[in-house]
Amino acid sequence: MTAAVAVQDAVKTFGPHRALAGISLDVQPGELVALLGPSGSGKTTLLRVVAGLEELDSGCVRLDGVDASTVPVRFRGIGFVFQHYALFRHMTVADNIAYGLRSRQRATRPPEAEVRRKVEELLVLIQLEGFGRRLPAQLSGGQRQRVALARALAIEPKVLLLDEPFGALDALVRKELRAWLRHLHEQTGHTTLFVTHDQEEALELADRVVVMSQGRIEQVGTPDDVYDRPASPEVFGFMGESSRFEVEVSEGLARVGGQVVAAATEPVADGPGMLFVRPHDITVSMPGTPGAEGTVLGFRRHGATRLLEVEVGGGRVEANIAPTVRVPNGAKVSVRLDRARLFPRAGGAVDCRPPRAHQVGEYAI
């Protein structure tokens, strides 16, 4: 069984700090939702509120339409997985997994034979069959996290909550476990909320991503929505790599240091604004080709590409270039923003394109 989760006007403060500032969120049964944001944005507080580990100052949490505050924590049907495993060191893997079942009141506790059968099923599910007699200290970090997940699944939760489950693991193990967790979710279909500050993790795993900042929800959407169509400067700046310019907007054109770098695709008010662009949406070419004039400041290796840092009109931008390309510092280049996002100071967001040559004059793009 899975449950719908509805958070309504949730407010939670810790002394003078407001961790949740009146947020609302609906999660559908069987959905995998990522709570994404920087440290202090309220992600873990929201997770703990849903679990019943924190009480709201105002607002409510509903599980399948029932006010969760009227349901004792142990009866909410919540499975919680912590970042640092929280396994019992003196217990075997099998006993750790069985702990939630054996801790039930006598009237609802399953027979021991049923407990052992369930543990063996879960060991197979988490790909650790044959590991039941080992102690946590005899496992790798990734294996311990899978045991922690199996312990949460053993009680057959309606909602599964994961608090940065891969945060204590190295990059390679995190990548392997992300693929494994997505496959596991497709098998089990639990309603799942997981907290992460890793954008790549959220985009790869989640059906929807909730981007949070300072106790508020900035945007909720599919991974494509939040990456390709960010609703605010905070979302754009947090999701993936990007460069930003402080620009002056006039007659639909964004200027940096007097140079036109982009044109709005829809009407936008004149005045100051912020222009965001991603490295893969920038074309750098030889001087004299269409583009704004820039000066190379340096470059660094970045996976399969290089990131070229260029000064344009007093601002700085990083662009992807082929790893075989070498451009000396101080060289003049032409920079074209193939796709950018303009956020006027008054709010809202506008997609941009390279301006037409006749609009730009000598700095034609």
Side-chain angles (χ1 to χ4, degrees):
M1 295 178 62
T2 61
V5 179
V7 180
Q8 299 176 341
D9 303 319
V11 174
K12 177 63 180 177
T13 58
F14 296 98
H17 174 63
R18 177 166 284 197
L20 299 177
I23 67 173
S24 296
L25 175 67
D26 290 321
V27 180
Q28 300 304 312
E31 196 173 19
L32 179 60
V33 173
L35 304 178
L36 176 67
S39 298
S41 59
K43 310 181 301 294
T44 294
T45 299
L46 178 57
L47 207 70
R48 291 175 63 84
V49 162
V50 173
L53 302 179
E54 300 284 355
E55 292 185 5
L56 287 172
D57 299 336
S58 63
C60 70
V61 175
R62 297 184 182 277
L63 302 175
D64 276 341
V66 177
D67 186 349
S69 65
T70 65
V71 182
V73 173
R74 64 187 304 178
F75 297 126
R76 289 191 184 189
I78 300 288
F80 204 116
V81 179
F82 299 90
Q83 178 178 349
H84 293 288
Y85 326 127
L87 299 178
F88 298 109
R89 299 178 183 178
H90 65 287
M91 290 185 180
T92 64
V93 167
D95 288 340
N96 266 284
I97 295 174
Y99 180 79
L101 296 174
R102 290 173 177 158
S103 299
R104 287 179 174 174
Q105 295 178 341
R106 184 178 299 274
T108 59
R109 187 185 310 156
E112 186 59 27
E114 176 65 18
V115 171
R116 290 196 294 269
R117 183 192 66 79
K118 185 69 175 179
V119 168
E120 289 302 318
E121 285 183 357
L122 287 167
L123 285 171
V124 172
L125 185 65
I126 64 173
Q127 300 172 1
L128 288 179
E129 56 266 45
F131 284 66
R133 295 184 179 181
R134 296 194 186 187
L135 293 172
Q138 297 172 303
L139 304 180
S140 68
Q143 289 171 334
R144 292 178 199 174
Q145 195 58 282
R146 281 187 271 166
V147 173
L149 186 56
R151 182 177 60 185
L153 294 174
I155 63 171
E156 298 182 350
K158 294 181 179 180
V159 179
L160 185 62
L161 306 178
L162 312 176
D163 188 7
E164 300 205 40
F166 311 135
L169 305 174
D170 63 61
L172 181 59
V173 176
R174 285 203 307 269
K175 187 172 183 179
E176 292 174 349
L177 283 185
R178 284 203 301 262
W180 174 81
L181 180 60
R182 182 68 222 189
H183 177 68
L184 180 68
H185 176 76
E186 291 169 355
Q187 286 183 283
T188 62
H190 287 88
T191 304
T192 303
L193 282 81
F194 77 96
V195 164
T196 182
H197 61 270
D198 186 323
Q199 302 95 329
E200 182 179 330
E201 190 169 283
L203 294 174
E204 182 178 337
L205 273 175
D207 297 318
R208 285 193 301 154
V209 177
V210 180
V211 184
M212 299 182 64
S213 176
Q214 299 181 344
R216 300 183 183 278
I217 292 177
E218 294 286 343
Q219 186 173 358
V220 181
T222 66
D224 287 342
D225 286 337
V226 297
Y227 188 86
D228 295 330
R229 293 172 290 278
S232 68
E234 290 78 11
V235 176
F236 205 123
F238 189 76
M239 295 299 301
E241 296 190 7
S242 63
S243 298
R244 65 179 184 178
F245 295 98
E246 290 187 2
V247 299
E248 190 67 29
V249 181
S250 176
E251 298 180 349
L253 300 177
R255 290 181 169 84
V256 177
Q259 295 197 74
V260 175
V261 293
T265 60
E266 57 188 78
V268 58
D270 289 352
M274 191 69 70
L275 190 72
F276 286 80
V277 62
R278 302 197 188 279
H280 54 78
D281 289 326
I282 300 172
T283 298
V284 177
S285 53
M286 298 297 292
T289 56
E293 184 180 86
T295 303
V296 174
L297 301 177
F299 62 85
R300 56 189 171 88
R301 188 64 186 245
H302 187 70
T305 65
R306 288 184 187 273
L307 281 176
L308 186 71
E309 186 178 7
V310 183
E311 185 271 332
V312 179
R316 295 190 177 191
V317 65
E318 288 187 327
N320 285 343
I321 60 173
T324 56
V325 174
R326 297 290 189 274
V327 186
N329 290 355
K332 298 298 182 181
V333 293
S334 180
V335 179
R336 188 181 72 213
L337 310 187
D338 299 316
R339 181 182 180 188
R341 190 79 161 165
L342 174 64
F343 294 92
R345 293 288 174 86
V350 177
D351 286 318
C352 294
R353 56 174 169 76
R356 295 177 181 176
H358 73 271
Q359 293 177 312
V360 185
E362 61 178 308
Y363 298 120
I365 293 180

